[in-house]
Amino acid sequence: MRRVLLGPRPEAVPALVAKACAAIGLLDVLAGVFPRFRNSRMHTLAEVLPGAFGPFAAALSLSAGVLLLLLAHGLRRRKRRAWRAAVILLPLGALAQFTYRHSLIGVLISLALLAPLLRHRSEFKALPDPRSRWRALANFVLMGAGSLLLGLVIVSVHPHRMVGNPSLADRISHVLYGLFGFEGPVDYQGTTSWTVAFSLGALGLLTAVTTIYLAFRPEHPAARLTEDDETRLRALLDKHGGRDSLGHFALRRDKAVVFSPSGKAAVTYRVVSGVMLASGDPIGDVEAWPGAIERFMDEAKAHSWTPAVMGCSETGGEVWTRETGLDALELGDEAVVKVADFSLAGRAMRNVRQMVKRIERAGYETRVRRIRDLSEGELDRIRRAAEAWRGTDTERGFSMALGRIGDPEDGDCLIATAHKEDTVPGPYGDLKAVLHFVPWGTDGVSLDLMRRDRSADPGMNELLIVAALQAAPRLGVARVSLNFAMFRSALARGEKIGAGPVLRAWRGLLVFLSRWFQIESLYKFNAKFRPYWEPRFVVYRSSRDLPRIGFAAMQAEGFVNLALPRLLRRRAPAPRPCAHAVTERGTHTA
């Protein structure tokens, strides 16, 4: 006989509790803002309470409500500290409802939420997220703005008790004075002035207390790749690095790593806005991937992070979905050129051939070498040039970028440079453009970044890619991975004859978005070199997580920057030797 389970599933409880907490928090805020109900059944009983309780209760209701609204997101993510705070705040909110609004229903609603919180307390055990003290400033700005707007409502909801007709400027001044605990220019009849003053003071105190708490609480810095982690990853790449062109990017030092129990496989990741973001396939033996993936999912569950994988291969996507029950969606295609098949001959390569010959006639020459073969002086000049030519204030790149040039451990990396003698040498000598490639096993390289002097002739990237492909046999390179083209198949199919209206509309949208994200231009740039295309996928838990994952990915890649202004940032700790941040694979075309 099957047993029928009544009520919500345990895994759905945190989401339901979070919604209820937000609703109760909103009710508490409204109860603290608006005057009490004079016709309430509890009014007669509450009249015996001292009159001073009214202003205090209004302030308590307002504070409890704001905090419950802030805690709702933490409860939805099963955070233990959010659970503890909610258990304390709900009885305080119930007390405020009774004392100020004289509402028995409000009391019962607040206390009713305690039952599922206490009953399902084992569901709320997620560990804290990585955090730094810059959140204190963000809290001060957001809470300050919210307190100002809410305070303006508090000042304005008592029109019949207001003395005179104060202007908007007077009301804003009254709010600002009240947030700091001073009396403002607006006056009220009776005890209303006390209620408004206590409420504004509570908002100001709440802003100050939460900001101070965030500023002085212990930091939980984001995990970094340790020297031991990097050594173990390099050992895995030496054995299995030829399987995935993105494998070497796992050595970014702003990533963390989890290893399989056997140590034969690993998954690297970064946590961004509550999303545990892995990139590429797991590193190591395919047979050991499930163990590393299980460790990854356990870590995500322990912190209540949203698991996601960006840019895994078809094989990687199959393993991820089989082992975790996650879904996969094709994200785009990686352009890979087989060196043996590449040639500038033929009509298809006419445009590239003409552009390269034109640039060579203009006096440019190219050099393709391993990093280990460059002098420290030339490496330093290349680093400085790459940083100066970046084009954006924010470093870009995560899933397909290494984040450094010239590290002693990266001697196998390949670098292609373009040079031209000028009458007046620039700050970087005759250097005009740089392409940096990372190893892909023993016989391949994967494009890391493309940078060029903006004053150089157009076509520098084409020139250097052709030079790298032509020098590849001498360097033992048989395959070269170029840029990643998002939604490449949709662009390709949408421009063919017979494409349906939906596909054409989707292609039109992608072309429109290419004004900002270079979607179409990267596809066309890659297609010049006649590559074969390797599909790449995003792995996700639920379709409703996709917007959040997309936003986190844009943050990780550097397209969205939520960090403090540069002048307010604390100096970062010194990186390990030569860990210079220069990225942006696939963000520049000719």
Side-chain angles (χ1 to χ4, degrees):
M1 182 176 180
R2 278 191 309 181
R3 184 173 56 180
V4 179
L5 297 177
L6 299 178
R9 293 173 298 174
E11 60 269 22
V13 169
L16 295 175
V17 167
K19 293 177 182 178
C21 181
I24 292 174
L26 184 59
L27 288 175
D28 284 345
V29 170
L30 295 176
V33 170
F34 294 99
R36 54 185 171 180
F37 290 122
R38 288 292 176 180
N39 295 324
S40 170
R41 294 182 179 180
M42 294 297 295
H43 175 64
T44 303
L45 177 61
E47 283 294 316
V48 302
L49 297 173
F53 278 9
F56 279 116
L60 178 61
S61 180
L62 193 64
S63 301
V66 171
L67 290 173
L68 286 172
L69 285 172
L70 295 176
L71 291 171
H73 179 66
L75 289 173
R76 187 178 67 82
R77 297 185 58 209
R78 306 168 184 262
K79 295 298 182 181
R80 186 67 177 177
R81 292 183 178 180
W83 177 87
R84 292 171 181 167
V87 168
I88 295 173
L89 285 171
L90 284 170
L92 294 179
L95 176 63
Q97 288 276 4
F98 172 75
T99 310
Y100 184 53
R101 289 293 291 268
H102 312 154
S103 173
L104 181 59
I105 294 178
V107 172
L108 294 177
I109 290 176
S110 296
L111 294 179
L113 183 57
L114 278 175
L117 274 175
L118 295 174
R119 179 182 177 185
H120 298 282
R121 58 185 177 275
S122 60
E123 294 289 326
F124 300 89
K125 55 185 179 182
L127 301 175
D129 290 346
R131 64 196 185 200
S132 59
R133 291 193 175 98
W134 75 265
R135 293 181 182 272
L137 180 60
N139 177 83
F140 177 77
V141 173
L142 296 176
M143 283 289 293
S147 296
L148 181 62
L149 294 175
L150 190 55
L152 194 58
V153 174
I154 292 172
V155 169
S156 303
V157 295
H158 306 277
H160 300 299
R161 292 182 174 272
M162 196 176 290
V163 177
N165 187 23
S167 64
L168 178 62
D170 289 334
R171 299 183 188 191
I172 294 176
S173 298
H174 192 84
V175 173
L176 291 174
Y177 277 109
L179 292 177
F180 287 95
F182 299 104
E183 186 176 352
V186 180
D187 198 10
Y188 299 89
Q189 299 173 0
T191 61
T192 302
S193 61
W194 285 101
T195 302
V196 171
F198 275 111
S199 298
L200 294 177
L203 286 176
L205 182 63
L206 195 61
T207 301
V209 168
T210 54
T211 301
I212 292 172
Y213 167 74
L214 292 173
F216 290 98
R217 68 178 178 173
E219 291 188 84
H220 284 205
R224 297 287 188 231
L225 205 65
T226 66
E227 292 187 22
D228 179 62
D229 291 337
E230 185 172 334
T231 300
R232 295 175 66 185
L233 284 173
R234 288 185 183 275
L236 293 177
L237 287 170
D238 288 341
K239 294 181 180 180
H240 308 282
R243 211 208 58 78
D244 185 14
S245 64
L246 306 187
H248 200 84
F249 298 125
L251 298 175
R252 280 184 66 105
R253 288 165 181 159
D254 57 359
K255 291 182 177 181
V257 61
V258 289
F259 289 92
S260 65
S262 64
K264 295 182 179 180
V267 175
T268 58
Y269 67 91
R270 187 198 295 175
V271 179
V272 183
S273 296
V275 177
M276 191 176 182
L277 201 62
S279 58
D281 292 345
I283 308 299
D285 187 352
V286 177
E287 297 296 325
W289 282 9
I293 290 173
E294 183 179 3
R295 287 280 180 88
F296 176 89
M297 296 300 292
D298 288 343
E299 189 77 4
K301 183 178 180 181
H303 292 267
S304 193
W305 292 330
T306 300
V309 185
M310 298 294 297
C312 66
S313 69
E314 188 170 1
T315 301
E318 290 175 352
V319 177
W320 273 101
T321 55
R322 184 184 71 236
E323 296 296 327
T324 64
L326 301 178
D327 290 325
L329 180 68
E330 186 173 344
L331 190 61
D333 295 88
E334 176 187 13
V336 180
V337 178
K338 290 183 178 180
V339 173
D341 297 339
F342 178 77
S343 172
L344 285 177
R347 184 176 181 83
M349 299 298 294
R350 178 182 177 184
N351 291 336
V352 176
R353 182 173 63 250
Q354 291 178 342
M355 179 175 289
V356 169
K357 291 188 177 298
R358 176 179 58 79
I359 297 172
E360 289 176 341
R361 286 195 299 268
Y364 289 89
E365 65 174 32
T366 60
R367 303 168 193 169
V368 183
R369 295 158 288 173
R370 298 283 184 182
I371 286 288
R372 69 170 74 92
D373 298 327
L374 274 68
S375 67
E376 185 57 39
E378 186 174 5
L379 267 178
D380 181 67
R381 188 162 58 250
I382 290 172
R383 292 188 197 112
R384 291 187 289 108
E387 183 174 356
W389 298 339
R390 186 171 62 231
T392 60
D393 291 334
T394 304
E395 295 288 351
R396 289 182 177 173
F398 167 68
S399 56
M400 299 181 184
L402 184 60
R404 60 183 183 265
I405 287 181
D407 190 285
E409 300 293 331
D410 296 327
D412 287 337
C413 288
L414 201 67
I415 195 157
T417 54
H419 305 261
K420 182 182 181 183
E421 292 289 345
D422 292 327
T423 55
V424 180
Y428 314 110
D430 61 354
L431 184 64
K432 296 300 178 182
V434 177
L435 260 62
H436 186 253
F437 299 83
V438 300
W440 174 12
T442 58
D443 64 345
V445 291
S446 185
L447 181 60
D448 176 22
L449 66 86
M450 301 187 293
R451 302 277 171 84
R452 66 181 179 86
D453 188 343
R454 298 302 176 184
S455 65
D457 292 314
M460 289 292 102
N461 292 329
E462 287 91 336
L463 173 69
L464 288 180
I465 288 177
V466 169
L469 290 169
Q470 291 177 337
R474 170 175 58 85
L475 297 166
V477 174
R479 49 188 181 164
V480 177
S481 168
L482 299 179
N483 297 306
F484 173 72
M486 288 188 65
F487 308 116
R488 195 276 314 176
S489 59
L491 289 168
R493 294 197 303 267
E495 64 184 356
K496 290 182 178 179
I497 186 171
V502 174
L503 189 56
R504 288 186 180 276
W506 175 225
R507 181 183 180 277
L509 176 61
L510 293 175
V511 171
F512 174 75
L513 294 176
S514 296
R515 299 180 182 181
W516 297 278
F517 298 105
Q518 297 186 337
I519 299 172
E520 184 185 32
S521 58
L522 276 176
Y523 158 55
K524 290 186 175 181
F525 177 80
N526 293 334
K528 293 179 182 180
F529 303 98
R530 317 301 292 176
Y532 69 90
W533 301 96
E534 288 286 348
R536 292 281 174 174
F537 298 82
V538 56
V539 178
Y540 59 97
R541 182 170 55 190
S542 169
S543 57
R544 64 175 175 269
D545 290 334
L546 285 175
R548 186 178 180 189
I549 293 170
F551 184 72
M554 292 182 70
Q555 285 181 263
E557 298 288 352
F559 290 102
V560 176
N561 182 23
L562 300 181
L564 289 176
R566 183 176 297 178
L567 293 176
L568 298 177
R569 294 178 200 166
R570 187 172 58 181
R571 186 179 295 275
R576 302 209 293 277
C578 298
H580 294 266
V582 279
T583 60
E584 290 184 43
R585 178 192 184 185
T587 59
H588 285 303
T589 57

